[in-house]
């Protein structure tokens, strides 16, 4: 289809401007007709009919690039464009092709200040075009729509609509091919007068051509979405970057339309596209793991881990944590990232999954996929108290120690005992001090627990009995001899990671958008890790210790020949790092270097191979040659401007060269008119996929109800009712003259007063 100034818009905000009907013209060819975008434009411009007998000199609508003339009958005004003679169409002028002729008229229309669209077409017997009409985009009859506001049935339209963008303008040009054997054509009719004002130079930025999205705009919309920035906010950012809204051609609605267009192209192929994209990564990247499961052709679960995740797990996978997070995609699939701690004590991702439910089977499948990717079992797994997770971990990681999150347990304390009890006693303080103590032995903990329960008469409370029964799963005293158990006591690491990922995603995301958000988040995480590696490499650290008093702060045992050292604080066992007590003893015994056996590899600077940081993140795997060249071109222009801005002479020289390139681009565009409209091809490239599949074998899940989502039928507690009443907006009651939640009719003060008076 040939290009034209005004292409069909997706604006849906003002459907009533022209309605849902197209211009009624039997001569239109459906394949080549471009609806006038001004009919659906978001701005309310009232169609302009000049009234009879209006004095031309009093008209304030006269365009600077047109003359106002009288119509042949002298009853209406017409606007005649003023353009340079070189751009004026000449009847009987011959052009080498119909495309060249149409481009000429579009250029003329741009100079004159009006939009055009393709209209009537007639064809030869071989279906090639014989004649082509190109008309003003305000051509078309205004539909006769009547509204009866007194109709009780409400049939027909309920809203008057006198705001139309068409004015039945007669301006047009007609082209005709010379004969079937040639592409050459000529102008055989040209009407230049319009029955509406033409756009001034200042108004042209509101035209559809000026609002047309460039590749840079489209890329900016898609790239912004990877950081959870919507179309409207992306438009605001673009306006700020360009120095004002007047420097941004497209409007916010155009950004939203393109974002919606991307969603429409993806449609119900969302799950299929994600699986295809992940399989493409699996085929392309070494040591990339991707597993998925479908139930009745519906995506049920996914797990993925790249080479970086596996290297991290190899070095830091001794203690891991995972926790489910919600509201990351429109289907309600549960996102489960796996977290470890690196040599900078920062949280790192070692794999992730998506589940359609929180059943035991789903978590078992996820952990089996995790184990298949990483092979070895972790030493310790930290989770919350979800029963499904508990059983899945026990089944898949039988050789690993499983620990419950203390934070989740302690959070429930205030719900298990009354607020008055916690306020009027020191139970919370004593209970917290007991359960978080990492220095006592299990026997000491058990005796102190029983004493505390008896003192506050809580020994018969079911929750405390259950927590005592499961004490080996969450009390630090039972993990004293477990190496590195002190790195994580709660799933706060996972909670923090979940919060981190939630900043890059939202509950309305398609799965393909979610994966793009995930890639962006992982890219930021890895960039922060590289920054820490750089800072550590280029920093010099000197150890400073106080006097020898520290060696008496704990019982330190040192065997000099073997340089074996042990401290009663067990800090090395808990974290893998020597405590300050040991450092004080080593210094006082003139040992200048840390014994090699106490330098764990996980804390070394070279724990991660340097080649890992040279690897490109998988988010950019679809950088084909075109994308690379586009990026290089943008970077080159920015580099030149950054250096030439200080020299006016160099800047002028650069601008002249860019003008030459722009002219060449315009000539190329005139001969390749369809290339700029191929949005689907550009969207495919931006989304990092190969193609849009014709056949769908994997469907996205229906909306999922997760645990704790509740139902609308449950009984509301008295506390919830009281909270709801407290939040209810109050108003003045005329019965008691107070701001309360009742009115005069139900006012108890008024009723009591009237009852007493009676």
């Amino acid at each position: 289809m040939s290009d034209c100034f005004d292409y069909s818009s997706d604006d849906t905000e003002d459907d009533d401007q022209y309605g849902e009907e197209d211009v009624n013209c039997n001569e239109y060819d459906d394949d080549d007709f471009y609806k006038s975008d001004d009919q659906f434009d978001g701005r309310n411009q009232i169609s302009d009919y000049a009234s009879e007998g209006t004095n031309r000199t009093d008209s304030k609508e006269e365009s600077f690039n047109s003359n106002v003339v009288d119509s042949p009958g002298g009853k209406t005004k017409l606007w005649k464009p003023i353009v340079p003679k070189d751009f004026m169409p000449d009847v009987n002028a011959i052009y080498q092709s119909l495309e060249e002729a149409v481009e000429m008229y579009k250029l003329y229309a741009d100079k004159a200040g009006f939009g055009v669209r393709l209209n009537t077409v007639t064809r030869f017997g071989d279906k090639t075009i014989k004649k082509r009409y190109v008309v003003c985009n305000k051509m078309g009859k205004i539909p006769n729509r009547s509204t009866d506001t007194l109709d009780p049935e409400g049939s027909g339209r309920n809203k008057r609509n006198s705001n139309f963008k068409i004015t039945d303008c007669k301006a047009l040009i007609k082209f005709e091919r010379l004969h079937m054997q040639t592409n050459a054509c000529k102008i055989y009719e040209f009407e230049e007068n319009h029955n509406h004002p033409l756009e001034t130079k200042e108004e042209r930025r509101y035209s559809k051509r000026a609002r047309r999205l460039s590749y840079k705009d489209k890329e900016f919309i898609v790239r912004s979405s990877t950081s959870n920035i919507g179309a409207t906010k992306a438009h605001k950012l673009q306006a700020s970057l360009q120095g004002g809204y007047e420097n941004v051609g497209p409007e916010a609605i155009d950004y939203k339309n393109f974002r919606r267009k991307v969603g429409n192209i993806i449609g119900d192929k969302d799950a299929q596209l994600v699986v295809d994209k992940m399989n493409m990564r699996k085929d392309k990247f070494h040591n990339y793991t991707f597993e998925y499961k479908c139930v009745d052709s519906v995506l049920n679960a996914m797990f993925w881990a790249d080479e970086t995740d596996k290297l991290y797990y190899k070095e830091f996978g001794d203690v891991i944590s995972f926790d489910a997070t919600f509201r990351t995609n429109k289907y309600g699939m549960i996102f489960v990232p796996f977290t470890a701690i690196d040599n900078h004590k920062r949280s790192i991702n070692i794999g992730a999954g998506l589940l359609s439910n929180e059943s035991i089977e789903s978590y078992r499948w996820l952990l089996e996929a995790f184990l298949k990717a990483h092979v070895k079992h972790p030493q310790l797994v930290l989770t919350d108290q979800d029963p499904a997770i508990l059983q899945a971990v026990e089944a898949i990681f039988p050789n690993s120690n499983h620990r419950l999150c203390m934070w989740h347990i302690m959070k429930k304390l205030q719900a298990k005992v009354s607020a008055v009890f916690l306020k009027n006693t020191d139970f919370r303080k004593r209970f917290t001090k007991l359960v978080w103590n990492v220095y006592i032995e299990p026997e000491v903990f058990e005796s102190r627990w029983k004493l505390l329960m008896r003192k506050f008469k809580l020994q018969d409370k079911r929750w405390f009995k259950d927590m005592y029964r499961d004490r080996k799963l969450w009390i630090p005293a039972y993990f004293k001899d477990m190496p590195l158990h002190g790195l994580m006591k709660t799933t706060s690491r996972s909670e923090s990671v979940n919060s981190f990922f939630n900043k890059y995603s939202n509950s309305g995301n398609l799965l393909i958008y979610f994966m793009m958000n995930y890639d962006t988040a992982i890219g930021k995480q890895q960039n922060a890790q590289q920054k820490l590696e750089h800072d550590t490499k280029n920093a010099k650290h000197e150890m400073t210790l106080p006097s020898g008093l520290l060696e008496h702060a704990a019982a330190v045992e040192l065997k000099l020949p073997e340089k074996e050292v042990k401290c009663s604080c067990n800090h090395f066992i808990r974290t893998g790092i020597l405590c300050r007590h040991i450092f004080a003893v080593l210094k006082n015994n003139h040992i200048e270097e840390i014994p090699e056996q106490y330098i764990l590899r996980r804390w070394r600077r070279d724990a991660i191979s340097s080649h890992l940081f040279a690897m490109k993140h998988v988010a950019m795997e679809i950088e084909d040659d075109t994308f690379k060249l586009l990026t290089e071109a943008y970077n080159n222009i920015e580099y030149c401007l950054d250096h030439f801005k200080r020299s006016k002479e160099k800047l002028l020289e650069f601008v002249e060269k860019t003008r030459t390139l722009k002219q060449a681009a315009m000539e190329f565009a005139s001969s390749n008119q369809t290339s700029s409209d191929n949005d689907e091809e550009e969207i495919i490239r931006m989304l990092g996929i190969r193609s849009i599949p014709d056949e769908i074998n994997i469907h996205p899940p229906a909306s999922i109800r997760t645990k704790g989502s509740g139902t609308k039928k449950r009984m509301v507690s008295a506390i919830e009712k009281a909270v709801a009443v407290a939040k209810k907006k109050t108003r003045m009651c005329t019965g008691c003259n107070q701001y309360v939640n009742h009115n005069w009719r139900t006012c108890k003060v008024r009723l009591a007063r009237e009852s007493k008076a009676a």
Side-chain angles (χ1 to χ4, degrees):
M1 187 182 293
S2 298
D3 191 12
C4 67
F5 278 24
D6 292 295
Y7 53 92
S8 182
S9 170
D10 291 326
D11 293 8
T12 58
E13 295 187 336
D14 293 318
D15 289 339
D16 287 329
Q17 291 181 27
Y18 179 58
E20 300 171 357
E21 303 175 14
D22 291 334
V23 178
N24 184 13
C25 179
N26 295 329
E27 294 180 325
Y28 292 164
D29 182 272
D30 291 338
D31 294 332
D32 296 287
F33 172 64
Y34 280 64
K35 290 183 286 186
S36 171
D37 290 299
D38 285 333
Q39 297 169 14
F40 304 97
D41 196 348
R43 291 176 301 278
N44 295 329
Q45 299 175 349
I46 301 177
S47 59
D48 185 23
Y49 279 96
S51 59
E52 296 185 20
T54 303
N55 191 331
R56 289 179 303 177
T57 59
D58 294 335
S59 174
K60 295 183 180 180
E61 297 173 339
E62 181 175 346
S63 173
F64 290 107
N65 54 338
S66 64
N67 283 329
V68 182
V69 298
D70 288 328
S71 64
K75 294 183 178 181
T76 60
K77 291 186 297 183
L78 298 176
W79 280 259
K80 182 179 180 180
I82 301 175
V83 297
K85 188 175 181 181
D86 294 342
F87 295 94
M88 282 291 296
D90 294 325
V91 177
N92 294 324
I94 297 177
Y95 299 88
Q96 295 301 314
S97 66
L98 182 61
E99 290 77 14
E100 180 184 350
V102 172
E103 187 65 25
M104 175 277 305
Y105 190 64
K106 287 160 55 177
L107 185 58
Y108 160 77
D110 186 39
K111 296 290 183 181
F114 67 95
V116 299
R117 69 170 183 264
L118 303 181
N119 194 246
T120 302
V121 62
T122 59
R123 302 180 183 274
F124 290 111
D126 60 356
K127 303 300 181 181
T128 58
I129 295 177
K130 178 181 180 181
K131 294 181 180 181
R132 161 69 76 193
Y133 294 4
V134 185
V135 301
C136 173
N137 63 358
K138 292 186 180 293
M139 188 276 286
K141 296 284 188 181
I142 297 178
N144 182 19
R145 291 171 176 168
S146 60
T147 301
D148 186 1
T149 58
L150 298 180
D151 183 6
E153 300 296 329
S155 59
R157 295 174 60 88
N158 295 323
K159 180 181 178 181
R160 293 188 182 94
N161 189 357
S162 59
N163 183 13
F164 297 100
K165 300 300 178 65
I166 55 175
T167 63
D168 197 21
C169 183
K170 303 299 183 183
L172 82 168
I173 193 169
K174 299 181 181 180
F175 300 104
E176 181 180 26
R177 277 176 59 188
L178 299 182
H179 49 77
M180 290 180 60
Q181 285 71 33
T182 181
N183 289 328
C185 65
K186 70 174 183 178
I187 301 173
Y188 74 92
E189 185 176 334
F190 171 52
E191 173 57 53
E192 63 177 323
N193 294 328
H194 298 255
N195 67 352
H196 56 87
L198 304 181
E199 293 175 345
T200 64
K201 290 183 178 180
E202 293 75 15
E203 295 172 334
R204 290 181 192 178
R205 67 187 182 96
Y206 300 116
S207 66
K208 284 297 178 181
R209 185 178 189 184
R211 289 173 55 185
R212 193 169 191 175
L213 292 171
S214 65
Y215 180 85
K216 187 177 180 181
D217 289 315
K218 298 172 186 176
E219 184 185 32
F220 186 76
I221 296 168
V222 174
R223 295 294 177 192
S224 296
S225 67
T226 63
S227 295
N228 197 24
I229 297 176
T232 302
K233 187 173 289 186
H235 186 264
K236 293 178 181 178
L237 289 174
Q238 189 72 282
S240 299
L241 293 172
Q242 298 298 329
Y245 285 92
E246 65 276 7
N247 298 324
V248 181
E251 296 186 355
I253 188 66
D254 301 312
Y255 274 47
K256 291 165 66 177
N257 285 340
F258 180 76
R259 176 68 184 263
R260 185 181 60 187
K261 186 172 187 178
V262 176
N264 290 339
I265 289 176
I266 297 172
D268 56 355
K269 306 178 182 70
D270 190 18
Q272 184 73 58
L273 285 172
V274 167
V275 172
D276 291 348
K277 181 174 182 176
M278 302 300 278
N279 279 326
M280 181 173 61
R281 290 181 177 180
K282 185 177 180 180
D283 296 338
K284 185 174 181 178
F285 292 101
H286 171 68
N287 207 16
Y288 190 93
T289 295
F290 171 62
E291 304 289 342
Y292 72 97
K293 182 178 73 170
C294 291
V295 177
D296 298 329
S297 299
V298 175
L299 184 63
N300 183 262
M302 289 171 51
F303 173 81
W304 64 94
D306 61 16
E307 184 176 5
T308 304
D309 298 335
K310 294 180 180 180
L311 288 173
Y312 281 151
Y313 182 79
K314 180 181 178 182
E315 301 297 341
F316 312 121
D318 32 33
V319 179
I320 69 169
S321 170
F322 69 92
D323 188 28
T325 185
F326 311 95
R327 297 183 298 277
T328 60
N329 57 85
K330 67 179 293 186
Y331 310 106
M333 293 192 76
I334 303 117
F335 176 51
V336 186
F338 291 83
T339 305
I341 301 175
D342 68 2
N343 52 343
H344 300 283
K345 288 192 174 181
R346 296 296 183 93
S347 299
I348 52 171
N349 193 72
I350 52 174
L354 282 172
L355 302 175
S356 60
N357 60 70
E358 296 179 272
S359 64
I360 299 173
E361 293 75 15
S362 293
Y363 279 115
R364 286 192 60 164
W365 181 92
L366 183 65
L367 296 181
E368 286 173 354
F370 179 90
L371 190 59
K372 181 180 178 181
H374 295 301
V375 182
K376 72 172 184 177
H377 291 240
Q379 293 182 21
L380 186 146
V381 181
L382 188 67
T383 69
D384 61 19
Q385 291 178 277
D386 190 319
I389 294 179
L390 294 178
Q391 296 189 46
V393 170
E394 183 179 350
I396 307 303
F397 295 144
N399 300 324
S400 302
N401 291 286
H402 185 202
R403 184 170 178 177
L404 299 179
C405 170
M406 293 186 66
W407 179 82
H408 280 94
I409 294 173
M410 296 300 292
K411 187 180 178 181
K412 296 178 181 178
L413 179 63
Q414 59 187 3
K416 303 305 177 181
V417 293
S418 67
V420 176
F421 174 79
L422 292 176
K423 183 178 179 180
N424 296 331
T425 67
D426 62 346
F427 174 76
R428 185 201 294 270
K429 180 180 178 180
R430 298 179 65 172
F431 184 78
T432 302
K433 184 178 180 180
L434 173 62
V435 298
W436 284 97
N437 196 329
V438 297
Y439 301 107
I440 60 176
E441 297 295 329
E443 297 78 11
V444 176
F445 166 79
E446 292 174 4
S447 62
R448 290 183 181 179
W449 174 282
K450 293 176 182 177
L451 288 173
L452 187 65
M453 294 297 108
R454 284 198 296 267
K455 177 177 177 59
F456 291 97
K457 300 179 181 180
L458 297 172
Q459 63 270 30
D460 295 329
K461 284 277 187 179
R462 180 175 178 179
W463 183 78
F464 289 99
K465 293 171 68 174
D466 292 341
M467 289 298 98
Y468 183 74
R469 182 195 62 208
D470 297 333
R471 60 191 180 280
K472 294 182 180 181
L473 293 177
W474 65 285
I475 297 299
Y478 293 89
F479 295 86
K480 284 176 62 66
D481 299 328
M482 184 183 300
L484 304 175
H485 74 92
L487 290 183
M488 281 196 273
K489 303 184 188 70
T490 73
T491 57
S492 58
R493 291 274 184 173
S494 290
E495 298 286 349
S496 177
V497 170
N498 291 350
S499 176
F500 171 72
F501 281 118
N502 284 334
K503 292 178 182 178
Y504 289 87
S505 61
N506 62 72
S507 58
N509 266 347
L510 295 169
L511 291 178
I512 194 76
Y513 277 135
F514 167 77
M515 289 307 304
M516 294 170 68
N517 297 151
Y518 174 84
D519 291 337
T520 302
I522 291 297
K524 177 177 173 56
Q525 185 185 88
Q526 294 182 3
N527 180 70
Q529 213 271 351
Q530 293 177 31
K531 177 66 166 56
L532 289 171
E533 288 287 335
H534 173 269
D535 293 344
T536 303
K537 180 180 178 181
N538 293 278
K540 183 179 180 181
H541 302 278
E542 292 186 3
M543 183 178 298
T544 58
L545 289 172
S547 62
L549 295 176
L550 279 176
E551 62 183 292
H552 302 293
V556 180
E557 180 183 348
L558 174 63
K559 296 180 181 179
L560 284 177
E562 301 85 3
K563 293 184 180 180
E564 292 182 2
V565 62
K566 184 178 180 181
C567 182
S568 61
C569 72
N570 284 335
H571 188 271
F572 179 76
I573 296 176
R574 293 199 310 274
T575 65
I577 301 174
L578 290 177
C579 63
R580 55 184 178 173
H581 314 116
I582 291 178
F583 278 119
V585 171
L586 293 177
K587 182 180 179 181
N588 293 336
N589 285 273
H590 307 291
I591 299 176
E592 301 296 333
E593 294 183 355
I594 300 174
E596 190 66 27
Q597 66 267 30
Y598 297 111
I599 304 177
L600 300 187
R601 176 173 171 78
R602 73 166 346 273
W603 298 122
R604 299 178 70 99
R605 290 185 178 185
D606 58 352
I608 296 297
S609 175
S610 58
H611 92 278
L612 176 66
F613 302 114
M615 294 170 54
K616 181 169 288 188
H617 183 244
V618 294
M620 306 303 294
E621 77 273 25
I622 311 299
E623 287 190 1
D624 58 12
D625 292 338
T626 302
F627 184 87
K628 290 178 180 178
L629 290 173
L630 283 168
T631 303
E632 183 179 357
Y634 287 136
N635 292 338
N636 290 342
I637 292 174
E638 290 178 359
Y639 181 87
C640 292
L641 291 174
D642 188 50
H643 286 75
F644 291 159
K645 65 184 179 182
R646 298 176 181 86
S647 172
K648 186 176 180 180
E649 181 181 348
K650 288 291 185 181
L651 193 59
L652 285 172
E653 182 181 348
F654 178 74
V655 170
E656 286 298 327
K657 291 181 179 179
T658 56
R659 285 172 180 167
T660 304
L661 291 173
K662 182 179 179 181
Q663 184 62 35
M666 292 174 65
E667 294 174 0
F668 176 80
S670 64
S671 58
N672 296 270
Q673 298 176 30
T674 58
S675 61
S676 61
D677 282 334
N678 196 357
D679 281 343
E680 184 168 324
E681 181 180 343
E682 294 175 346
I683 290 171
I684 289 172
R685 183 185 298 117
M686 293 172 188
L687 294 178
I689 55 181
R690 287 174 178 162
S691 61
I692 302 295
D694 296 326
E695 184 178 354
I696 306 176
N697 298 317
I698 303 174
H699 300 273
S703 183
I704 297 168
R705 293 186 62 83
T706 56
K707 294 179 181 179
S709 59
T711 65
K712 294 182 179 180
K713 297 181 179 179
R714 73 178 183 86
M715 295 180 64
V716 181
S717 67
I719 295 178
E720 289 176 304
K721 291 179 180 179
V723 171
V725 170
K727 290 182 178 180
K728 189 176 180 181
K729 188 176 180 180
T730 59
R731 57 183 177 178
M732 172 68 80
C733 171
T734 56
C736 60
N737 295 325
Q738 300 290 328
Y739 283 94
V740 288
N741 292 316
H742 62 256
N743 55 24
W744 179 88
R745 183 178 60 82
T746 59
C747 180
K748 294 182 179 180
V749 175
R750 179 191 66 83
L751 293 174
R753 187 171 59 244
E754 292 180 354
S755 177
K756 185 177 180 180

